[in-house]
């Protein structure tokens, strides 16, 4: 799964907002890497990010839609109901909400469209997605917390077949906790597709694996999709 940031302020410096050439380069890179699924975000969620106006996020999405390549499948990385609705109505097939589907309106959209969702782990006591939380056993606690959230969403009307899970590496976790979670990612493999995003995050230096070894490690562990930045 490739990452497309339709922003001017991505932490990786790969935002394509306002540059059709950069966007086309991302599509070419995805094709060269054998990527078929692209995750599109129109608001940065890097540490210390600032929320943007809903109309600004909608305008960024519309810019992408106007220049979209239909050979790929798409997910929308957003917590904005209007943005999600426009994306799903324009052919996107998955909602990726890094805030953990705490908004009932977003859940309702997933039910309405029957689309897939990516449930990103978030500690139940965190005040924001980047608040560093304390864990005694990161692997077992994340597993328990994700399973509780899966049950909550199913009880609210989502079907099991719509749900994929993401351990939220780098979100609200200390470097060593994210590194351990990645190295023991096999422990989270189960009944739901598992998606992992470690690309260009600081904690991977603690994982003692090269870029290629990390990818092999994930797929050998049973991970379904790995989110990767596209070469610039």
């Amino acid at each position: 799964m490739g990452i497309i940031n339709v922003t001017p302020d991505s932490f990786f410096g790969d935002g394509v907002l306002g540059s059709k050439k950069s966007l086309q380069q991302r599509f070419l890179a995805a094709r060269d890497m054998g990527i078929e699924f692209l995750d599109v975000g129109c608001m940065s969620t890097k540490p210390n990010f600032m929320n943007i106006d809903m109309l600004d996020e909608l305008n960024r999405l519309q810019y992408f839609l106007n220049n979209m390549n239909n050979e790929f499948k798409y997910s929308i990385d957003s917590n904005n109901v209007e943005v999600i609705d426009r994306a799903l109505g324009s052919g996107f097939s998955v909602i990726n909400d890094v805030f953990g589907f705490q908004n009932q309106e977003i859940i309702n959209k997933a039910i309405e469209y029957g689309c897939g969702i990516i449930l990103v782990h978030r500690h139940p006591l965190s005040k924001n997605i980047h608040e560093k939380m304390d864990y005694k056993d990161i692997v077992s606690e994340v597993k328990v917390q994700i399973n509780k959230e899966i049950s909550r969403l199913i009880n609210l009307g989502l079907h099991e077949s719509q749900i994929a899970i993401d351990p939220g590496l780098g979100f609200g976790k200390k470097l060593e906790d994210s590194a351990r979670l990645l190295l023991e990612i096999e422990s989270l493999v189960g009944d739901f597709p598992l998606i992992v995003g470690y690309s260009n995050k600081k904690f991977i230096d603690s994982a003692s694996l090269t870029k290629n070894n990390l990818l092999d490690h994930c797929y050998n562990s049973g991970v379904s999709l790995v989110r990767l930045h596209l070469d610039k």
Side-chain angles (χ1 to χ4, degrees):
M1 174 181 272
I3 299 168
I4 298 281
N5 290 308
V6 191
T7 66
D9 58 348
S10 163
F11 86 95
F12 184 51
D14 64 341
V16 299
L17 185 63
S19 175
K20 293 181 181 180
K21 180 180 179 181
S22 293
L23 180 55
Q24 293 307 313
Q25 288 174 340
R26 299 300 183 279
F27 290 141
L28 289 173
R31 188 184 301 146
D32 290 344
M33 295 167 70
I35 290 173
E36 299 177 354
F37 216 113
L38 297 176
D39 187 47
V40 178
C42 300
M43 185 185 82
S44 174
T45 51
K46 65 183 180 180
N48 301 313
F49 73 92
M50 299 288 289
N51 285 315
I52 64 172
D53 184 80
M54 180 267 291
L55 289 177
D56 288 339
E57 190 176 352
L58 269 177
N59 287 336
R60 293 178 182 184
L61 174 63
Q62 191 59 51
Y63 167 79
F64 178 81
L65 295 175
N66 292 342
N67 299 282
M68 180 171 157
N69 185 324
N70 290 320
E71 71 180 88
F72 298 99
K73 299 176 183 177
Y74 294 100
S75 59
I76 181 66
D77 180 348
S78 182
N79 185 243
N80 185 308
V81 177
E82 290 82 2
V83 170
I84 288 169
D85 186 52
R86 184 173 297 183
L88 295 176
S90 301
F92 282 51
S93 57
V94 174
I95 304 171
N96 178 20
D97 178 9
V98 299
F99 293 85
F101 288 88
Q102 301 302 309
N103 185 334
Q104 182 63 46
E105 290 184 79
I106 294 177
I107 297 170
N108 292 343
K109 285 297 175 187
I111 295 170
E112 175 187 343
Y113 282 93
C115 65
I117 73 157
I118 300 173
L119 173 62
V120 181
H121 172 263
R122 177 177 176 179
H123 194 289
L125 300 180
S126 66
K127 298 181 183 67
N128 63 71
I129 61 172
H130 286 298
E131 180 184 5
K132 296 293 186 286
M133 305 302 291
D134 291 321
Y135 294 89
K136 293 182 179 178
D137 184 340
I138 183 72
V139 178
S140 62
E141 290 177 61
V142 166
K143 188 172 184 177
V144 167
Q145 290 163 5
I146 285 178
N147 286 337
K148 285 183 179 179
E149 287 301 288
I150 289 171
S151 296
R152 176 179 69 87
L153 292 176
I154 290 173
N155 288 336
L156 288 172
L158 282 172
H159 193 273
E160 290 183 5
S161 63
Q162 292 179 261
I163 301 173
I165 60 173
D166 180 331
L169 300 176
F171 285 98
K173 299 171 180 68
K174 298 172 184 175
L175 297 180
E176 61 270 23
D177 285 335
S178 286
R180 183 186 165 202
L181 197 53
L182 177 57
L183 291 173
E184 299 184 32
I185 199 65
E186 186 175 359
S187 300
L188 297 184
V189 174
D191 296 332
F192 297 88
L194 178 61
I195 298 172
V196 169
Y198 58 76
S199 183
N200 297 303
K201 294 182 179 179
K202 290 181 179 179
F203 72 83
I204 60 175
D205 292 336
S206 305
S208 302
L209 291 171
T210 66
K211 186 181 293 187
N212 288 336
N213 286 341
L214 277 173
L215 191 60
D216 289 342
H217 164 70
C218 286
Y219 286 132
N220 290 338
S221 298
V223 171
S224 300
L225 285 174
V226 176
R227 294 176 75 251
L228 296 173
H229 286 92
L230 302 171
D231 292 335
K232 293 187 283 184

